[in-house]
Amino acid sequence: LPEEIDHNSAETITVSKRKFLDGDHLTLADCNLLPKLHVIRVAAKKYCDFEIPAEFTGVWRYLENAYEREEFKQTCPADIEIEKAYLGGTLSIQLRPICACTEKPNKCLLSSSNQSSSDGSRLGCWSLLMSEARGTRGAPENVSLQVSTSFLVANMLSERGSFMKGMILGGVFCLVLSLLGSFSPITESKTEDHHHHHVKAASKDELQQLSESRLQELNNQLQISCVIMVQPKNLVYWAAALDTWTKHCDKAEFYTSESSKALEAIDLNEKDDWARLHKALKHAYENAGDIRWFFVAQPSTFAIIENLKYLVLTKNPEQPFYLGKTVKSGELEYVELNGGIVLSYEALKRLVNVFQDEDKCPERQSALWKLSEDKQLAVCLKFTGVFAENGEDVHGKGLFNSKSVDSLISESMDQNPNNVVKGCCSDMAITFSSMSPNQMQVMMFGVYRLRPYGHDFHDILTFYPPKGSDND
Amino acid sequence: NLESRTKHVKATWGKHCHKVLYMSSVKTDFPTVELNVSEGRENLYWKTIRALQYIHQHHLDGANWFLKADDDTYVVVENLKYILSKFDPEKPLYMGRRFKPFISQGYMSGGAGYVLSKEALRRFVRGFHTGECTHFSTIEDMALGKCMETMKVEPVDTRDMKGRQTFHPYPLDHYVIRQQRRPRPWHMLYDYYTPIEVSNTN
């Protein structure tokens, strides 16, 4: 390339020094071309008595560089397989090289490091002989099956350790793909006004741009209705939640599976987790009053409502928001219940509407295919065009945690040993989960009472306790 | 305990002190001061005596107040400074969680950490020099309290305006968690100022 030549010295360079098409490392371009070249070498030689001319030194050098790479050499089907596949003539079978990547589908970069770690970033790059689906006629997929399994077996016989795991994984993946006959990227679902996958809190600059009166207006209108799903078997947690963080909600309603003599709650008389959540959300919506934001939690969740208010302060509840700690399960992205679920009024409204559609959102799941209630919620919301979004602070750190403070700190001690406290969690964290009742009491002390004298946080707003609440 | 504990003190609240010294009985890679003592609880008072003598000799001018804490103590240094700001370091003063037994003017709990003013440190070292203070017991906090009494160092009431304690010899959950009715634990019976246990979050 001209640029390449310029970089080098004054002497005229006419030959590329690169090993592969785009540098010294294999890229997607090579994944596309190399298998074809290899097949031409084998099949054309067998059936057309054609060999790639020796004077095509660049092509040979390129092929030789490729044969030096284990990931190419080991994944090429045996010559006999290639010959067999082309036996019926080149018209009925077409070669479609596929690079299966276990991590980033649009990059097929192979690391040449000596690390034998079996992290997902080691990718396999190979070709599969795939049949083009010809109408409804049964495509000769058995060929690709044959080819794939043969080299899978060949791979297993070779020595490569963890690299093999990546290869086998990718092989199975490609196998499934070829059987399904389609290899199209995941289609983007219909978007709404604000289709991101994460929602961030407003930055200080953004807040400062709002007028004093506008800020006050937002503050006055901002109210959270807490929906806490309890059960008598978790009585101690229930009591702790009642005594601690739920006092900071503008409205806190406890929904139980069955009534308890010790504590008061709305008795839904329902053992099934999803049916209970379904009923609780419906009830919360019908009794919302002026409140436009809903927070769903379990008693083992600890929440800092003020930080939740900060996250949604500048967000419009007439837009559908479904926030929390998002997790992907196959194609479904959902918010984990134990990290807390935030729903705007619009999202809840749409949900209550789709509740009427027993096909899309049944009140009772079939016994055969039971999803956890947080996944089921995501499915129902998806039908209404509402998607899960990860709640983050201005720096992109997650605000909703499905683990307790000490396990997050322990993890941070392993991962950022030089910056344990800062690296652990967001300063504006909203939730922690799996906290014991004692730990919740300690948290209340730590978050709301204990403070270092002389430190000023310079917060732009002041959140006062809800009227009539027992919190100071 | 250097790896498991002291490292974490250094990474967290230690940074908020003007100067931190880690006192050890042995020489280590971690920046510690090696004292000429043996390890073990029976030698704790010796370790303290040697540590204070070392500080008096090398660091007296480096600070006004001297906090002794264990490697399992957590200190909110800003709040300590806030309390100390009201007192004169040239006066013989000594702060901590005041216990009443054994010493008539009381003594400060070792577990909760205690603070000596500059003058108090001078008097402590002088006491050992003249023989007014001796290693008469291995119970470090009580014995130090006796020396303080002998050398006329005054214990200070460090409770806040609502009468709440600021030094605690046990972790948070011992104090913050609502407890069932139970006989008072030993450390509350020892308290010089009668503890009040309240049942609401105030």
Side-chain angles (χ1 to χ4, degrees), chain A residues 108-121:
Chain A
C108 191
L109 223 62
L110 288 124
S111 70
S112 53
S113 69
N114 295 326
Q115 288 166 352
S116 57
S117 59
S118 59
D119 56 338
S121 49

Side-chain angles (χ1 to χ4, degrees), chain A residues 255-269:
Chain A
Y255 295 88
T256 178
S257 56
E258 47 182 319
S259 65
S260 159
K261 290 200 183 71
L263 294 170
E264 268 182 41
I266 296 176
D267 183 9
L268 299 172
N269 200 11

Side-chain angles (χ1 to χ4, degrees), chain A residues 1 4 15-35 37 57-73 76 108-112 125:
Chain A
L1 287 178
E4 215 183 51
V15 176
S16 164
K17 292 208 170 90
R18 293 184 192 184
K19 281 190 166 178
F20 302 109
L21 290 175
D22 193 26
D24 288 337
H25 297 283
L26 284 166
T27 61
L28 198 62
D30 301 299
C31 292
N32 207 306
L33 181 56
L34 280 169
L37 278 176
T57 50
V59 176
W60 279 109
R61 189 167 59 83
Y62 178 49
L63 266 175
E64 262 145 38
N65 289 339
Y67 290 135
E68 267 168 48
R69 299 292 313 186
E70 290 294 325
E71 53 269 25
F72 182 73
K73 193 166 66 177
C76 290
C108 191
L109 223 62
L110 288 124
S111 70
S112 53
C125 188

Side-chain angles (χ1 to χ4, degrees), chain B residues 19-35:
Chain B
K19 190 172 183 61
V20 196
L21 292 165
Y22 300 95
M23 301 300 184
S24 170
S25 53
V26 294
K27 191 169 173 53
T28 61
D29 286 333
F30 197 92
T32 49
V33 173
E34 189 196 346
L35 303 168

